[in-house]
Structure formats: structure tokens, C-alpha cells
Amino acid sequence: MAFNISRGYCMLSFSLKTFAILFFLVAGLFSVPVSSSACTGMRVIAKDGSVVWARSMEFGNYIDSALMVSPHGLQWTSPTPNDGHGLQWTAKYGFVGPNGFNLKVPLEGMNEKGLYAGGFWMKEGETKFPGVKPADYPNTVAQTHIIAWLLTNFATIDEVKAALPKIHVAGVEVEAIHQVVLCHWYVMDATGKAAVIESINGEVTITDNPVGVFTNAPSFEWHLTHLRQFINLRPDNVDSAQIGDYKALSLGEGTGLLGLPGDFTPPSRFVRAAVFANSVLQPDDADAAVALGMNLIAGFAISKGISRGVGGDGKPEYDYTQWTTVYDFARKAVYVRTYENQNYKVVHFDKLPMDGGKNLIIPLGQDYGTYEDVSDQAR
């Protein structure tokens, strides 16, 4: 991705009083309740066609996740509003992916065929699910079960596009957090082809994703439009600039990306992820792609206390990166690390009972990691 520099500047003159007012207005933002909406995902495609997806999960309080191992052949039933029964289906494919709050549905995951699906939190007012009548319940999939429906039924983006218009999408309350969770979804197949599923103003759409990254609110189309404001950015350094008779020399590396947003809001993370994922040197193979995905997503980790808010119960919340996943589509493996344990663990599909009769769980926990002692290697 190449970006050309082209900017306009304006100069403002502030009185000390004006500066003080603005300072306290900005500082006041830190006491405003914030939602947990800081997840980021990035695609990597190697020269040999190997595909990798790296994603972080942020939330304001501990969500108690574990890796679900869900076999093919399992029976699924979606809930509906008013405690009804929605679409029922039998899983064609098994999948692996993390859940949350001990729920029996994934927050994201990859299936046996290499289809990935993941939900990304949306703020209230940014998305709206369609109204669904009781007569439509037998063909309704709740937003809580969209990911499971996608992972257990489809192998490619084209299949998803063909099937999505045939169902109704409804919003149901998640008892663990006492609210109708709002989200939009990123879907990608083993070729790296990606799409975004959203419900804006009650209309469900699926849109191709040409940049291979994703975050939270607003809508995907808004993010693409916003990206146009940063077409000046490029990975190549700027050594100097002539300003009148003065030659300004660069202060170091990274001058081509001056102006890249560095905060943790969804729009800024989207821009940063798009620039990073599409500027890095393309890796040779799956091993290099996995390593690159781990390095890329590490730059989006949020430590406790950097993002502060107040929850619905009036207690402080600290949005932080609870876990990070890296999916190897070529070799069907999932790497995962937690906030406490920064050492990645790996799960290989070919070592799992994908033809079992029930969901299995691999704990993630909050234990701190152990580190290899290489003291005896000193020479």
C-alpha cells in the first residue's frame, strides 16, 4: 500500500483561558463511561498462498473464555426473542474458537474447511437488528448464534453470500451481561477472501472486505471512507523537506507514517491496522505468516488502565486485551495467548475429536506464564 503526502494545515491562536477550558473538556472524557469495543483483526497472506488471521479480544471486565472444540454432526438450535425456538440445524463442519461467560457459543472461530467468523462489538445506535415476527422464528438465527451458524454450515464466502438472505437475524439478550449484544461480523475463507456482515437500520448486508482488517463501530463502509483521509501515509521514510531557506531533516525512522492515528478508538485502530497489514513485507510461507500475524497484532494490545470507564453497575471498568488468537488456515491450527500468559499455546485440528458427540472445552485461565530458562546457554 502506498500513500502520498498531501496535507493542509491551519494555525490557531489560543488564549490561556481558552486552552484551560479545552484541557478540562478533554480531561473530562476520562470519566465518561466507555463501552468495551476495542477488538482488532488483521489478515496475512504469504507468497505461497498460506492465510493467517490475527485478532485481539478486549473487554471491560473478565469474560472467562475457553476454547470450544465443537464437532461436526452436533445439533444446534438458535434462540429467538421472547424465549422462542429458532432455526435448527445439524453441523456439517466442526470448529475451534473461544467463547465467553461460559456460554456454549463461540465469539469467533475457524472450522475444518478453513472458514473464519468473528463478532466485533458495536455501540448502541450504530447497528439495529431487524424486527422478527413469531411466524419467522423457525428460520431465525439470533445474533448470539450467527458465528456458530456460519462455522458449522459453510466452507467459502460464496456459500455464505448465497445462504445469508435466506435467514432472519434477530437480537436476543445475553443474560450474563443483561443486554442485547450489538455486533457486526468478519468472515474469511481459506483463500483469504473476506466479507463483512452487518445489520444497519434493520437491514442485513454482506460486503466484500478489500483491506483484510476489521474493528468495531461505526459501519464498515464508514471505515473505508475514513481511510481515504490517510492516503498520504506510506512506509517509505521522508529524509528531508525544504521549508523556505530551511532544510528540515528527519529525526529518525518512521517519517513516512507521520500522522498515523495512535489511539485505541475503533476508527484509529482500523486505519492503523489497514496501513500495517498492507505495508509489511509479504512472508514466504505459513511459518513466516504466523510469526508476522503475532507481531502485527501485538501492536494493538491494551494494558489494564489505559482505557478506563464505568460499567452499568457504576463500578470502574478497564478495557484490556484478554486474549489474542492467530489462525493458521493452511495447517488448520489456532494459536492463543492470554493477558497473563504471553506465551502462545497451539491447538491442531488433526489432533482433535472432530467427530465427537459433544462440545469440548480447553481452558485458557488467568495463570501467569512460565518462561524458558536459558541461563545455562551462556558461553
Side-chain angles (χ1 to χ4, degrees):
M1 179 179 285
F3 301 85
N4 296 318
I5 294 180
S6 177
R7 286 186 182 166
Y9 294 89
C10 62
M11 300 184 64
L12 300 178
S13 177
F14 291 101
S15 68
L16 184 60
K17 181 178 179 181
T18 303
F19 175 83
I21 292 173
L22 290 175
F23 174 83
F24 286 111
L25 283 174
V26 173
L29 293 176
F30 289 99
S31 64
V32 176
V34 296
S35 64
S36 304
S37 55
C39 305
T40 304
M42 311 169 73
R43 178 187 63 192
V44 176
I45 301 180
K47 292 177 182 177
D48 68 357
S50 298
V51 176
V52 163
W53 172 256
R55 184 251 172 89
S56 66
M57 167 59 76
E58 284 76 24
F59 211 76
N61 45 55
Y62 183 56
I63 61 175
D64 194 15
S65 292
L67 280 182
M68 287 183 63
V69 179
S70 187
H72 49 249
L74 201 66
Q75 301 298 310
W76 288 83
T77 301
S78 172
T80 66
N82 304 315
D83 298 320
H85 295 289
L87 184 69
Q88 297 181 339
W89 71 92
T90 301
K92 292 174 58 179
Y93 309 117
F95 68 83
V96 177
N99 65 1
F101 304 107
N102 292 312
L103 298 175
K104 296 181 180 179
V105 289
L107 301 178
E108 63 160 1
M110 180 176 69
N111 70 17
E112 296 172 275
K113 294 296 183 179
L115 185 87
Y116 169 89
F120 287 70
W121 188 281
M122 288 279 273
K123 285 181 64 67
E124 186 174 356
E126 298 295 337
T127 187
K128 179 182 178 182
F129 297 120
V132 179
K133 300 176 182 179
D136 297 324
Y137 285 178
N139 205 34
T140 293
V141 179
Q143 93 283 20
T144 55
H145 283 58
I146 283 289
I147 298 168
W149 177 72
L150 291 167
L151 295 177
T152 56
N153 283 293
F154 309 110
T156 68
I157 293 297
D158 289 340
E159 292 178 5
V160 173
K161 287 182 176 180
L164 187 64
K166 300 176 183 178
I167 66 163
H168 300 280
V169 178
V172 301
E173 182 176 303
V174 177
E175 292 185 6
I177 54 178
H178 307 294
Q179 61 179 292
V180 176
V181 173
L182 303 176
C183 52
H184 54 180
W185 300 272
Y186 180 93
V187 189
M188 185 167 70
D189 63 28
T191 69
K193 187 176 182 178
V196 171
I197 298 174
E198 293 182 302
S199 181
I200 307 297
N201 296 323
E203 181 180 356
V204 178
T205 61
I206 182 166
T207 307
D208 289 337
N209 185 324
V211 292
V213 304
F214 206 49
T215 60
N216 313 96
S219 68
F220 179 60
E221 289 294 337
W222 186 97
H223 282 297
L224 290 182
T225 300
H226 182 235
L227 192 60
R228 294 164 61 184
Q229 296 191 74
F230 298 90
I231 58 174
N232 59 294
L233 300 176
R234 64 181 188 270
D236 304 293
N237 288 326
V238 178
D239 294 326
S240 64
Q242 194 70 34
I243 306 173
D245 294 330
Y246 174 66
K247 184 177 183 179
L249 302 178
S250 71
L251 295 173
E253 298 297 312
T255 51
L257 295 180
L258 280 172
L260 181 71
D263 60 80
F264 290 109
T265 60
S268 293
R269 284 184 288 104
F270 188 97
V271 172
R272 202 157 69 250
V275 172
F276 287 177
N278 291 281
S279 297
V280 292
L281 297 180
Q282 189 177 22
D284 291 327
D285 52 26
D287 282 329
V290 167
L292 177 56
M294 291 176 176
N295 277 281
L296 283 171
I297 201 63
F300 292 79
I302 301 178
S303 302
K304 289 182 181 179
I306 292 177
S307 176
R308 306 184 181 198
V310 179
D313 56 3
K315 297 180 180 179
E317 285 188 349
Y318 306 99
D319 213 47
Y320 70 101
T321 304
Q322 304 206 12
W323 43 257
T324 303
T325 48
V326 177
Y327 293 85
D328 182 345
F329 289 64
R331 298 174 296 191
K332 304 300 185 298
V334 181
Y335 298 81
V336 60
R337 70 177 182 181
T338 64
Y339 184 84
E340 294 79 13
N341 187 348
Q342 292 292 292
N343 296 321
Y344 277 98
K345 301 175 182 179
V346 63
V347 175
H348 296 279
F349 275 58
D350 59 6
K351 297 181 180 180
L352 297 171
M354 282 299 182
D355 55 355
K358 63 178 182 178
N359 287 324
L360 302 177
I361 291 295
I362 300 174
L364 295 181
Q366 291 182 287
D367 296 330
Y368 289 97
T370 57
Y371 302 94
E372 181 183 3
D373 188 344
V374 296
S375 306
D376 61 356
Q377 296 183 20
R379 298 289 187 268

